[in-house]
Each structure stands twice: as C-alpha cells, then as structure tokens.
Amino acid sequence: MSGPNQESVEIFLEEASNHLQYLREYSGLLQEPQTKPEDIEKLYIAAHTLAGTSASYGFPCFSEVAAKTAHIFQYALNAALSPEMLGPLMDFISDAISVLEFDLLQISSGGTETVADIAAFKQRYAFAFPAAPSEVGNEAEGTGAGEPVPEVFSAPSFTAQLPTDGEVPVEVLEFFIPEAEEHLQAITECLLAIEGHSNPEEINRLFRSVHTVKGSAAQVGLHRLSAVAHRVEDLIGQLRDGALQANAEVVDLCLRAVDVLKKFLHRQWPSEADMAAAVDPLLARIAELAPEEPSEEAQEGQAPGAEAPAGEAARPATAPRAAGAPVLPQAKSVRISLDRLDRMMNAVGELVINRTRMLGRLSELSKLVEVLSFSKGRLAGKVSEFQDKHEFSRIQTSLVPGSQPPQKDTFRGSLPGLTVIGSEDLLEFSELEMDRYDDFNILSRSLTEISADVTEILTQLENFMGRVDSDIDEFTKLAHHLQDEITAARMVPIGHLYTRLSRTVRDAAKAADKSVELLLEGAETELDNNIIQYISDPLIHLVRNAVAHGIEDARARRRAEKPPKGRVTVRAYHRGNHIFIEVEDDGRGIDTERVRQRVVESGAMSPVAVAELTERELREFIFRPGFSTASSTSELAGRGVGLDVVRANVHALNGEIEIRSEPNRGACFTVKVPLTLIISQALFVRCGASVFALPLAVVEEIRRLRPEEIEDVGGKLLTRVRDVVTDVTRLDLQLGLPPLEPVNGYFHMVIVKVAGKHIGVVVEEVLGKDEIVIKNLGDYLRRVKLFPGTTIASDGSLVLLIDLNRLVAGDAADRHASQVPSAAARVFAPGAEAVAAGSIPSEAVDAVDNDRVVVVVDDSISVRKFVGRMLEKAGYRVKLASDGLEASEVVAQVGCHLVITDLEMPRMNGYELMAHLRQDPVTRRIPVLVVTSRAGAKHRERALKEGAAGFLTKPVQEDQLISTVEGLIGVETSEGQTAAGAPLERN
C-alpha cells in the first residue's frame, strides 16, 4: 500500500497542530483542584487522536509519545493524582508537547521524524517507557483487558455493517466537497433554528439537505457517508412526522452526526477503531429513536426495494414543480478556486502598478512640456527683438546702389539652374518700390518660422497629453471595475460564519450552565473570503468569552434584576471601505477594579501607578499575553486569555479592535477590518530621503506644526490639537533616520487614530495619497513586523508600508518603566530625603554593590519572560534578547555578569554567540550558561568546547537554575566588581 499523499499529510499536520495547541493551552487543568471530568476527557481525546492519527500516517515515534501523554489523562480520569505525582507528570506533558511540536515541524519540512530527540526524551523520562520485560507484561495485561471485547462486540457492530467506499477521483471530490459542506452548513443552521420551537418549513429544509447529502455521496462513491446520512434522514423523518420533538437531546444527536459526516467527507478518521468508537454509539442512539423497519431476514431482498419508497417519496415533491408554473432558469455558474481568484486579483494589482507608472511617465512628460514652453517663450522673445531690429532695416546710405553684388541666401544654399539676376537689373527700382534683403533679414525670417513651428508642435503635444490623460482615466475606470468585479467574486456573506457562532454560543452556554440568547444582525454583509478565514477564530473567541465571563449566572442576573436569559449580539455593517463587527453582551461588563488587582498581582505595575491609570489605559492590559481576570483556568476562559492573539490577528489584517464597557450593563468589542487586503489607499510621506506609506483609513487630518509646539514631558512627546493634548511620535526618531529639518519653520503632522486614541506622527513632508498594491516582503524580512508590506512607486522604487499599531506600541514600550539597579532605586527609598538633606552623615550610609546583571537570550518570548522572572525573584537584574546578535549588542552596551542562552536562534545561534564573546578581550571572561531543549551529548560537548560554563536542559526547574547561576557568579557580586562589557552604575 502506498504512503499517504502530500494533501493528506497537510491535513494531518494541520489537525495535529491544532491538537497540540489545545494540549499546550489546557493541560494545566490537570493541576486545578476543581477541574471537571469532561475537561480532562477532552484532553485525553486530543492526545489519543494524535496517537492514532500519527500511527496511521506512519509516524511511530510521534504516536508513541502522544499515546503516553493520553495515558496520563486517561489515568487522571479514573484515579486521583497526588501532589507528588503531579510535578513529574506535568513536566513530562510539557516536555512531550515541545518534542512533538518540533517533531511535527521536522515532518512538515523533511517528511521524517526527529528520532534522536525522541530517543533522548524517552531516556530522560525512562519511567514512562519501561524496558522489554515490562512491555511483555503490558501486552499480557492488554490481552487480559481485551478479553471482554469479543463479548461486547460479539454481534456485528453498526460500523461493520457500513458499506465500503469506492474509488473516488480527486477531480470529483473537488466539486463534491464544497457542495456537501454547503449542505452540512445548512443542516447545522436548521438544527439550531428548530431547537425548542419546531418550524415545519425549517424541518423540511433540513430533510431536503440531508437527503441531498445522502444521494450525492452515494452517487460519487462515498457509501459510508451515504449510509450514515441515510440513518440521520430517518431520524429527521421522525421529526417531520411529529413522532419526535426537536428537543436539546435530539438536536445534540444530530449535531454529533454532522461532525461525523464531516469526518467521513474529509476522510479524517485516524483508524477504523476510532471511527467505530464515534460512529457506533451515534448509530445505536439513532436506532433507539428511529428503529429500522426492515427485518434482518429480508435485508437482502429489500435492498433494491428500499430505494423505491425514496423514489416514490421524491416524486410527489417534484410533481407539483412540473405541473405548476415553469421552473426558474438555473443560474449559469462555474466554481473557481480561491487560488485562481488570488492570481486574478494579483493581475489587477499589477494593472494598478502599471497605471501608477503611466501616471508617473505622464507627469515627467508634463514637466518636459513646461520646460519646452518656457524655452519657446524665451525663443519667441529673442526672435521678436531680433526681428524688430533687423528685418526692416534699409541699406545704409553709404552704399552706392550697384556697388555690392546681390546677397545670396546663406541659409538655403545655391539652387541649380537658378538664373542669377544682376544688380543692374534691379537699379531701375527705387528702395520704396522693392525691398532689399541681406543675411540679417533672412536670419530674422528663418527664426520667425522656427518659432511658429515650435509653437505648433507644442500645441500638438499638449493636445496629445490631454488625450493620454483621458485614456489613463478610462484605463483607471476599467481597472477599478475589474477590481470591483473580482472583489465581489471573492465576497461571501458573513452569515456563513454566523452558523459557527451559533454553535459556539450553544455549546458554551451548555458548558457554563447558562441560558443565553444569540442575536445575529447584518448576516447579508459581505467581505473577502480570506478575511472571514482570518477573523473567524477571533470572533469565536470573543463570543465564547462573552458567554463564559460576560454573562452572569441565573442567580446573579436575578439579583441585578435582569432577564433570566442573557443576550449576546453580533452585528456586522459596512462603513466606507471597512467592515465593522460588534460582539456585545448584556452581562456584568469589565470589572476595572479586578483588572487593577490583577495588574498589581502580576507585578506589571505598582498599586500607586495602577491607581492613576484611566479606564482606557486599564483595558489595554486585557490584551496582554496571559492576562486574565478569571479565578481559574478552564476551556471557557475569562477575558484576557487569548485576547492578545485576537488583537494580533486583527492587526495582521490592518484592522483595529476597540472596547466599550459599562458596569452591570455589558461590554462591546468592535472589530474593524478592511474589505480587501490586496489593494488599498495609502498616504505617502517623506522623512529625509526616505518615502513611506501610511494606511489612509486611519488618517484623520494633516496639520502644520512648529518645532516649539512639541513638548517633552517625562520622555513623552506631547502637543495640543484644538486644546486637546495629543501624543506625538516622531518618525525619524522611531526609525533611526537623520533628524528632521523643518520646512519654512514647520513640520508636518499626520494625525491618526490607533487603538482608540489620536496620535500625531511627525514627518518632513506629505507627498499625497494614491491607491497601492501591497506586496509581501518575503521570508527574509518576515520578522520585520513594523513593515507589513511594500508597494512599488511610479519610478520603480520600493515604498515601505508602516504598521501604525506597532509603531505606536513600540513608542509606548520605549516609555515603559525599565528595570533600575537597586543602587539607583535607593536614592528614592524611604529615608533618602534625610540623606539628601544632610541629616544623616554619609559615613552612616551603607554602600550598595552593583546589581548582578544577567542577559537571557532565547528566540521564544515565553521562555525569556519565564526565566527572567525566576532570576528577578532571586534578586538579579535581567536583560532580554531574542537572538545572539541582539545579545551581543546588549552586552556591548550595558555589560553583564552572566549570559544564559539557547542554542537554536535566528541570525546568530548560541554557539556563534559564545565564539563572538570569546573573541573580545572585554567579554572573554563572562560565563555562559546554556539552557536548551537539545539534550544530546553532541550538543553538550560542542557547547563546552565553545566555552560554556554550564549546560541545562529544558524545562529547567527554578531551584536548579538559581543554584547553577549562584554557583557561576555568586550570590552577590564582590564590592567594586562591575559587569564585563561596560561599566555599571555605583553609589
């Protein structure tokens, strides 16, 4: 049997990545004292699915580690875990997830597993991987445990009765899968609509959709899907006939059936056993509610006849259509893949770029016309002056008539065969009867004719430019029309996403034991399909948070005199070139005091500083990674868990997210995203010799500003705009450009609205606005987050697009309170005023040694912060760096006593960093501690060879790390010792 194709592997990679992300986020529930068994069961299902799927795709190492992880969750379901057990088991789970993630990355890039890393992992956790004798015992136990299985499945299971699928061509699936997905979505919509209040029209629509899925699947050869859909159709038939009521149990059963049908459709079953585990209980329950009428003895004879009732049932439905009014003509349509639409939109983008280039050429031609017109004016003036002076000048009186030969036209040359008229022939005419011309007269006439020719050419050129300008206008209209048409083809109603939101609210309300009503508005609002894919997860998270943390329970709502059923409203609407999506609830709102408390508890700010924050500034904290006001972690977490990811996804779309909240009235999250991502309007600005583009959608106004109107208040630039204090960001300072020079005594300030507030961006000159096509910077510059893309100017140069959200966030981060050494902090400590006033002699003040500075280098921000907090708790001053190159700069600037580094990092890895430090006499003596997930002997030996003073493997324990650090640099630095690389402050 041939291995899985690339498309199947891609599906496995995506599914495995989702399961690993789920395990990483929620495996901590194992330590929670009041975790629900259902939550542990979901963790077990995720790990068990990983084990089965990876085994079926031929990745045994991955499967073995995932199976051990699943075993832990399964054990926790049936037995209590003591605190002594939890520590090693949580370490095992965390390390296992890291190993599996890296293994998955290796599978994605090379198609092979990291056997050495998994072997090292198994060696490190040998207690989870017993030796061969133990394995034999386990097999014996497995055999014993499997003995009851024949008894349970002695009769044929429902899965065994399912027919086998036929060979379905890939090109058939390409058309069938989108159609089936549409019908399954319609089935979900109808199920959610009929729950609790049966609607005959919706039930009929539901029945038709299930019937279509059944027939189409059988037609293309997906017989298992067709058989399961047939049983679901029987169940829906009971609803249609009134034998069953559309209660929560029936709807739950049907929704489970939809999930099963989707797995059959996409062939996502890891193994036959997993399929049987999911399908058998489903079909058994359906058989209880809607028993099959034919007997087992008559199955063979009834199989052909079973289709007859279906055909007979189908005929009455189609007969009125034939007998009644003529049917509506079918829409002539064809399915087009999104990739092709993307390529067409890219072609439109190239058209826009070429239009911009043509406009640039026309502008150049216009400048040439201006220069030519100016030169023509000068020529005309000189010709007129020369003409007045020489054209009508008569022959001087001193010249006797006939003493000079007739003048020949020196500008035209001699003409052959021309009869020469002698001067004596002209003597009979007086000066008044015939003019006489010399060279000056002829030159004057020639210049006049040249000037007239230039004027005519210039007129024709100006007319040509007008026609070209008109043609470019028509070209622009056609390009815009083509863009609008292709954009419309990519547009889908947001109502397609509403079905998922309805299911999410229903499941979340059921899990939280709350009564919640979901109101959906603006389902017909259309936006780009790519944006819907990006925005779906953030919206689902916001809706889930609204149910879990926003809506109160029944008792709290009664106390607040609110309706017993909570309300969550999702509305979407157009405004300009943007789509606004609001997620609003009528719950308790955001508890600002609780947020303040959590900020203080997390150590982010002091109580005094937190008390001075406004509500808007306080709400920014809920978008920080890991911040939550929830008292305990669960699958339905409080606001803050994952909201940093929500904002990051929205910002990746050049969008914004804002919050409104009223205590005991509810909260509203507003997401603003553009209609399309490829073509947008931009404002071009210049700083020195560099030109940048700003998204025009966030630009409010443009003002002139004198340099003295900008005030520096505590390192924060401020100015007044119509008596309102506005933050100012200087683009030259943020991007490290040469200082701006005011033009005629003024700067230009572009006022933008970012994160709900107005910011003034100071630039040297505003060049204008235009339509741009955003191009990706490529993999090499993918880490430069400040510039999400670039566009091509009319002269062919690249213009970087600035992400104003990151620009302002970076500016704010520069102003955040930095870590200060204890010696400096002592200046402001209690009693410092007495020391400053001289009341306490300086001899009585104990000297304070310099802080011990540790540079933590890791490309993972979570590892940097986690290790940094450990060290800060132990009294060290920590500097963070994302890779070796940044660490070398930090060491050169501020110095340090110790470097803790990972091995695998971009730009400069750990080995290169150690080699760099050893080459410099100033930093040669700085000890380096390696903390890495690479536990192999080869990595350890290479690190020690490069000069590492210590080697620890992740995950590192706090006491182990601190003891190692103290062993390398001591508990306190000796008096007078400073960090290598740069002098430190001393008191």
Side-chain angles (χ1 to χ4, degrees):
M1 179 177 178
S2 61
N5 58 27
Q6 185 61 31
E7 184 179 358
S8 301
V9 174
E10 291 294 335
I11 295 175
F12 160 71
L13 293 173
E14 182 179 359
E15 181 181 351
S17 178
N18 293 335
H19 285 307
L20 286 174
Q21 180 67 24
Y22 181 83
L23 291 174
R24 180 170 289 282
E25 289 184 6
Y26 299 112
S27 59
L29 292 172
L30 207 59
Q31 303 178 89
E32 296 290 336
Q34 306 180 356
T35 302
K36 297 179 181 179
E38 311 85 83
D39 296 333
I40 302 297
E41 186 177 6
K42 291 178 181 178
L43 291 169
Y44 163 70
I45 292 173
H48 181 69
T49 304
L50 278 175
T53 310
S54 55
S56 64
Y57 278 93
F59 304 116
C61 297
F62 190 104
S63 176
E64 186 179 10
V65 176
K68 294 295 182 182
T69 309
H71 172 75
I72 296 176
F73 295 123
Q74 187 181 24
Y75 186 95
L77 278 172
N78 302 297
L81 298 178
S82 64
E84 293 79 13
M85 300 166 64
L86 277 174
L89 291 179
M90 290 307 300
D91 292 343
F92 176 89
I93 293 172
S94 176
D95 215 358
I97 294 172
S98 299
V99 167
L100 292 178
E101 287 176 338
F102 190 79
D103 192 43
L104 194 67
L105 185 63
Q106 184 69 20
I107 293 171
S108 174
S109 59
T112 59
E113 295 191 80
T114 55
V115 179
D117 287 350
I118 293 181
F121 170 80
K122 293 168 64 176
Q123 183 179 0
R124 188 160 62 251
Y125 295 100
F127 66 89
F129 299 92
S134 301
E135 292 176 1
V136 174
N138 289 341
E139 290 177 4
E141 292 177 9
T143 305
E147 289 176 0
V149 173
E151 298 178 4
V152 175
F153 296 103
S154 56
S157 67
F158 289 96
T159 308
Q161 299 176 13
L162 294 178
T164 57
D165 287 339
E167 292 293 332
V168 186
V170 176
E171 57 271 15
V172 174
L173 287 177
E174 288 180 356
F175 292 98
F176 172 70
I177 289 179
E179 178 189 2
E181 286 178 339
E182 291 176 6
H183 287 296
L184 291 176
Q185 182 175 351
I187 291 170
T188 305
E189 292 175 358
C190 295
L191 289 171
L192 295 173
I194 66 175
E195 183 178 14
H197 39 79
S198 181
N199 184 342
E201 183 179 348
E202 291 292 339
I203 292 179
N204 287 330
R205 179 187 170 205
L206 174 62
F207 186 86
R208 288 195 301 270
S209 296
V210 177
H211 182 76
T212 302
V213 170
K214 179 195 74 172
S216 301
Q219 184 70 32
V220 300
L222 296 177
H223 302 298
R224 289 186 171 186
L225 190 155
S226 176
V228 176
H230 179 66
R231 295 299 293 129
V232 178
E233 182 186 21
D234 293 341
L235 181 63
I236 303 302
Q238 296 287 333
L239 286 176
R240 188 180 60 173
D241 298 339
L244 290 176
Q245 296 298 320
N247 53 26
E249 181 189 2
V250 173
V251 172
D252 278 339
L253 186 63
C254 292
L255 290 175
R256 281 174 53 198
V258 170
D259 295 336
V260 167
L261 292 176
K262 286 181 179 179
K263 282 185 174 288
F264 276 116
L265 178 63
H266 296 286
R267 301 182 177 183
Q268 293 176 339
W269 295 113
S271 64
E272 291 288 330
D274 289 328
M275 181 186 69
V279 175
D280 280 339
L282 173 71
L283 295 182
R285 184 55 181 155
I286 292 178
E288 293 176 6
L289 297 176
E292 287 186 283
E293 295 181 0
S295 61
E296 294 182 1
E297 293 79 10
Q299 280 182 354
E300 295 181 2
Q302 190 182 0
E307 298 299 326
E312 292 172 2
R315 277 195 292 271
T318 57
R321 183 181 299 175
V327 298
L328 294 175
Q330 288 187 339
K332 296 181 180 179
S333 61
V334 61
R335 292 184 183 273
I336 300 178
S337 66
L338 284 176
D339 290 339
R340 176 167 294 184
L341 283 177
D342 286 338
R343 292 195 296 269
M344 293 170 66
M345 185 61 82
N346 287 333
V348 173
E350 296 299 328
L351 280 179
V352 173
I353 292 174
N354 285 319
R355 178 191 66 87
T356 305
R357 187 177 291 116
M358 290 169 62
L359 288 174
R361 298 292 181 265
L362 189 62
S363 177
E364 294 175 7
L365 188 58
S366 178
K367 293 178 181 178
L368 292 176
V369 169
E370 291 178 2
V371 173
L372 182 59
S373 180
F374 176 74
S375 300
K376 190 265 297 185
R378 290 182 57 195
L379 176 62
K382 293 299 182 181
V383 168
S384 178
E385 179 182 348
F386 189 84
Q387 190 176 23
D388 293 341
K389 187 174 182 179
H390 297 289
E391 185 176 5
F392 298 106
S393 61
R394 296 291 182 265
I395 300 175
Q396 298 180 5
T397 55
S398 59
L399 295 175
V400 179
S403 61
Q404 293 283 343
Q407 297 298 319
K408 159 173 86 166
D409 190 347
T410 57
F411 300 97
R412 298 183 184 273
S414 59
L415 296 176
L418 181 66
T419 304
V420 179
I421 302 176
S423 59
E424 62 277 4
D425 297 330
L426 301 176
L427 291 178
E428 58 182 293
F429 297 102
S430 66
E431 293 181 1
L432 295 178
E433 291 177 328
M434 181 173 288
D435 291 333
R436 288 150 171 98
Y437 296 95
D438 57 8
D439 288 348
F440 286 105
N441 300 128
I442 297 171
L443 175 63
S444 175
R445 293 281 182 128
S446 299
L447 290 177
T448 301
E449 293 175 2
I450 293 172
S451 177
D453 292 342
V454 170
T455 301
E456 183 179 356
I457 292 172
L458 188 58
T459 302
Q460 293 179 1
L461 187 58
E462 289 174 346
N463 293 335
F464 171 75
M465 284 182 56
R467 291 193 298 271
V468 171
D469 194 22
S470 177
D471 292 342
I472 290 179
D473 287 342
E474 290 297 324
F475 178 80
T476 302
K477 291 178 183 178
L478 290 174
H480 284 169
H481 180 69
L482 183 59
Q483 173 192 340
D484 293 342
E485 290 295 328
I486 297 179
T487 302
R490 296 172 56 90
M491 293 291 186
V492 293
I494 198 172
H496 291 178
L497 177 59
Y498 279 179
T499 303
R500 294 180 61 189
L501 297 182
S502 302
R503 178 84 180 268
T504 300
V505 170
R506 182 183 183 277
D507 294 344
K510 185 177 180 181
D513 194 20
K514 297 178 181 179
S515 179
V516 181
E517 176 187 13
L518 178 64
L519 300 180
L520 301 172
E521 301 176 6
E524 69 283 354
T525 304
E526 293 185 338
L527 68 164
D528 195 311
N529 183 70
N530 283 346
I531 294 182
I532 282 191
Q533 293 178 2
Y534 276 107
I535 210 69
S536 59
D537 288 340
L539 286 181
I540 288 173
H541 192 94
L542 291 177
V543 168
R544 186 184 290 120
N545 268 358
V547 175
H549 198 74
I551 302 295
E552 310 95 333
D553 56 26
R555 184 180 303 174
R557 292 186 70 85
R558 281 197 299 270
R559 287 199 303 266
E561 298 181 352
K562 293 184 178 181
K565 180 175 287 188
R567 186 178 69 250
V568 176
T569 304
V570 180
R571 64 177 65 90
Y573 53 90
H574 281 278
R575 183 176 295 171
N577 290 326
H578 287 78
I579 296 290
F580 289 80
I581 306 172
E582 296 179 355
V583 179
E584 184 177 8
D585 63 70
D586 66 345
R588 61 173 61 92
I590 297 176
D591 188 348
T592 55
E593 293 306 317
R594 177 62 178 158
V595 176
R596 292 182 197 274
Q597 179 183 350
R598 291 292 298 159
V599 171
V600 175
E601 291 175 357
S602 65
M605 298 183 72
S606 66
V608 177
V610 170
E612 297 177 354
L613 293 177
T614 64
E615 286 195 8
R616 178 180 292 276
E617 293 171 336
L618 203 59
R619 289 173 193 160
E620 290 296 311
F621 278 92
I622 71 175
F623 289 107
R624 293 198 174 186
F627 187 88
S628 175
T629 58
S631 56
S632 62
T633 305
S634 67
E635 186 180 355
L636 297 176
R639 297 192 200 276
V641 179
L643 284 182
D644 59 316
V645 180
V646 172
R647 170 177 273 187
N649 286 359
V650 173
H651 284 177
L653 298 172
N654 293 326
E656 298 179 20
I657 181 170
E658 296 182 1
I659 308 174
R660 299 194 314 271
S661 177
E662 294 184 42
N664 297 321
R665 298 287 299 274
C668 179
F669 288 76
T670 302
V671 177
K672 173 186 175 185
V673 292
L675 281 173
T676 183
L677 298 177
I678 299 177
I679 300 177
S680 62
Q681 296 282 335
L683 182 72
F684 291 92
V685 298
R686 182 177 62 83
C687 283
S690 303
V691 178
F692 302 96
L694 307 179
L696 190 63
V698 299
V699 175
E700 299 283 330
E701 62 175 309
I702 302 171
R703 299 173 61 89
R704 293 201 308 169
L705 185 72
R706 293 185 182 276
E708 56 269 19
E709 295 178 10
I710 302 175
E711 301 180 15
D712 190 338
V713 181
K716 189 175 184 179
L717 299 181
L718 301 173
T719 190
R720 286 187 175 272
V721 178
R722 291 186 288 274
D723 295 330
V724 176
V725 178
T726 304
D727 290 356
V728 173
T729 296
R730 287 191 51 160
L731 201 57
D732 56 335
L733 299 180
Q734 288 299 307
L735 301 181
L737 300 173
L740 294 180
E741 295 294 336
V743 179
N744 298 326
Y746 287 92
F747 288 134
H748 285 83
M749 183 171 68
V750 181
I751 298 179
V752 298
K753 189 175 182 182
V754 178
K757 62 180 181 179
H758 289 89
I759 305 292
V761 180
V762 175
V763 299
E764 188 168 343
E765 184 181 3
V766 177
L767 303 178
K769 68 180 182 71
D770 199 359
E771 206 169 47
I772 65 170
V773 178
I774 303 174
K775 297 288 186 179
N776 198 335
L777 289 176
D779 291 339
Y780 185 72
L781 298 175
R782 67 184 184 279
R783 294 182 180 271
V784 185
K785 302 297 185 182
L786 182 60
F787 304 111
T790 183
T791 187
I792 302 175
S794 58
D795 59 355
S797 62
L798 296 180
V799 178
L800 291 172
L801 180 67
I802 295 179
D803 186 342
L804 292 173
N805 289 290
R806 292 188 181 273
L807 179 73
V808 174
D811 187 28
D814 292 341
R815 298 195 295 263
H816 284 169
S818 58
Q819 278 190 315
V820 296
S822 57
R826 196 175 186 191
V827 176
F828 305 96
E833 294 181 0
V835 177
S839 303
I840 300 177
S842 58
E843 294 80 9
V845 180
D846 296 331
V848 178
D849 294 333
N850 284 318
D851 284 343
R852 296 157 296 162
V853 181
V854 180
V855 176
V856 179
V857 194
D858 200 299
D859 56 342
S860 169
I861 185 172
S862 58
V863 173
R864 291 200 303 270
K865 291 186 176 181
F866 185 71
V867 175
R869 285 172 184 168
M870 290 182 184
L871 296 169
E872 288 170 359
K873 285 168 59 180
Y876 297 92
R877 185 151 62 100
V878 179
K879 298 290 184 181
L880 303 178
S882 60
D883 53 40
L885 187 60
E886 185 178 349
S888 62
E889 296 172 355
V890 172
V891 172
Q893 292 172 3
V894 302
C896 68
H897 297 92
L898 174 68
V899 174
I900 299 178
T901 181
D902 190 13
L903 290 181
E904 297 168 296
M905 297 177 293
R907 298 200 295 180
M908 181 185 289
N909 60 38
Y911 296 128
E912 294 170 341
L913 173 61
M914 288 186 281
H916 175 76
L917 294 176
R918 297 296 169 261
Q919 292 173 0
D920 191 340
V922 179
T923 59
R924 182 176 300 165
R925 300 182 59 186
I926 298 178
V928 178
L929 173 62
V930 174
V931 178
T932 178
S933 58
R934 294 292 189 180
K938 182 188 297 184
H939 296 87
R940 180 187 296 270
E941 291 171 1
R942 171 72 185 278
L944 296 177
K945 181 180 178 182
E946 293 291 347
F951 191 98
L952 298 177
T953 55
K954 298 176 184 176
V956 63
Q957 300 298 318
E958 183 173 357
D959 53 352
Q960 180 189 19
L961 175 68
I962 299 303
S963 62
T964 305
V965 171
E966 290 176 352
L968 292 174
I969 62 175
V971 180
E972 293 182 359
T973 56
S974 60
E975 184 176 353
Q977 179 184 351
T978 61
L984 292 175
E985 308 87 8
R986 296 192 63 217
N987 275 8

